[in-house]
Amino acid sequence: MSAETPAVPGQFDLRRQQFRAWRGTRPFWAGLFILISGFPIAYFPYANLQIGHLTLAMSTTAGAGSLIIGVLLAVLGVSLWFQKHVRVFAGVAAILLGLVSIPVANLGGFLIGFLFALIGGAMAVSWVPGEPPAEQAQEKDPGTGTTPAAAYPQDLGTAPADGPTVNPYSTGPAFTKDADGSDEPNELSGTSPANGANGRHSAG
C-alpha cells in the first residue's frame, strides 16, 4: 500500500462518526446530566453506609418520593435523546424535580443529584437545533446590476448620417440644423451671430 492510498476506516471509527452525528442533532449532554441526576436522588434514601461494625441507615420516610423523583429524572433524560422537541418541558420539569428533591430526598442526593438536575435542565432549555448549511447562492445574472445598453449610446464617436459628431456629455455648444441644412453652433451666451452684439446688453 502506497503512502498516498487513504486508509479504509475501521468499524470502530465508522460507529464513532455515526454516534457523533447522532449526538449533534439532539441535546445529548443535557439528557446525560439529567439521567445521572436521578441515580443519587433515588439511591441514597435506600442505601446503608457501613463504617466498620457500625451500619448507618440513610433511609428516610420519604423513600418512595425519592424513588419517584429519581425515576422521573431518568425518564426525562432518556426522552431528551429520542424526543428532542420536548426539550423545554423536560428541562423545566428537571429543574423543578431537582428543587423538590432537596427537602424530600436527603438534600437532593447530598446536592449531587440536585446540581446535575439543575445544570442538565438549564442545558435542555437553552439548546436549539443547529441550522442546516446554507445553500450556495445562485449564479448572478449577467444582466443584473449592470447598466442597460439603451441608457448610453454604443458608439459615441460615430456621427449620425445627417449630422456632425457630437459628444452628448460635452459641455460645449450644441449644434443645430438651420433651414439650409448647415450646422451652426447654438450659442446660449446672448451674442447675436449677425452683428456680434450681446443680447443681454443690447437693450442698454
Side-chain angles (χ1 to χ4, degrees), residues 106-125:
N106 291 346
L107 294 176
F110 297 112
L111 296 181
I112 299 174
F114 166 72
L115 291 177
F116 272 98
L118 214 63
I119 296 172
M123 292 172 64
V125 172

Side-chain angles (χ1 to χ4, degrees), residues 40-48 57-60 62-68 106:
I41 291 176
Y43 171 75
F44 285 125
Y46 293 94
N48 292 327
M58 292 183 291
S59 59
T60 61
S66 303
L67 181 62
I68 292 174
N106 291 346

Side-chain angles (χ1 to χ4, degrees), residues 17-98:
Q17 292 175 1
Q18 290 177 350
F19 173 72
R20 181 182 297 177
W22 176 83
R23 184 186 65 190
T25 58
R26 62 204 68 243
F28 174 79
W29 295 109
L32 182 62
F33 274 49
I34 294 175
L35 178 62
I36 293 175
S37 69
F39 290 105
I41 291 176
Y43 171 75
F44 285 125
Y46 293 94
N48 292 327
L49 183 60
Q50 199 76 18
I51 303 177
H53 297 286
L54 179 64
T55 301
L56 180 60
M58 292 183 291
S59 59
T60 61
T61 56
S66 303
L67 181 62
I68 292 174
I69 292 175
V71 171
L72 287 177
L73 286 171
V75 170
L76 289 174
V78 174
S79 65
L80 282 173
W81 290 349
F82 301 100
Q83 301 292 333
K84 58 184 178 180
H85 60 275
V86 299
R87 62 186 183 276
V88 176
F89 167 77
V92 173
I95 294 174
L96 293 178
L97 288 174

Side-chain angles (χ1 to χ4, degrees), residues 126-147:
S126 62
W127 184 87
V128 292
E131 298 180 357
E135 298 179 357
Q136 295 182 354
Q138 298 180 356
E139 294 183 2
K140 188 178 181 180
D141 188 4
T144 304
T146 58
T147 305

